[in-house]
Amino acid sequence: MSIKSVNARNQFQGVVKEIIEGPVVSEVDVETPSGIVTSVITTRSVKELGLQVGTPVLALVKSTEVSIATLA
């Protein structure tokens, strides 16, 4: 399957660096040229996508809110 188009404008190509698998959800760290992007997805999705350390992926970021805090 290939992606023809998506409406998520923030896209980062990278490689899976680490997967912390839980019974229901898992954390997937993706190493990109700009740094690490972490996604929390269902463990079922990790398995269905065949994600493993070293898998090349595209991280798609779509958010309606970005919070900002000041540093002390």
Side-chain angles (χ1 to χ4, degrees), residues 12-35:
F12 304 94
Q13 288 186 339
V15 175
V16 175
K17 181 175 181 169
E18 181 178 15
I19 299 172
I20 302 171
E21 194 171 301
V24 178
V25 296
S26 297
E27 290 181 40
V28 180
D29 288 345
V30 177
E31 187 166 20
T32 75
S34 300

Side-chain angles (χ1 to χ4, degrees), residues 3-70:
I3 298 174
K4 292 184 179 182
S5 109
V6 293
N7 66 347
R9 299 292 183 231
N10 299 313
Q11 302 176 19
F12 304 94
Q13 288 186 339
V15 175
V16 175
K17 181 175 181 169
E18 181 178 15
I19 299 172
I20 302 171
E21 194 171 301
V24 178
V25 296
S26 297
E27 290 181 40
V28 180
D29 288 345
V30 177
E31 187 166 20
T32 75
S34 300
I36 301 292
V37 174
T38 301
S39 178
V40 177
I41 63 174
T42 64
T43 301
R44 179 179 181 175
S45 291
V46 170
K47 294 179 188 312
E48 288 178 357
L49 291 168
L51 297 180
Q52 299 176 17
V53 171
T55 301
V57 294
L58 183 62
L60 305 168
V61 179
K62 185 169 183 177
S63 176
T64 58
E65 179 181 337
V66 175
S67 298
I68 306 238
T70 58

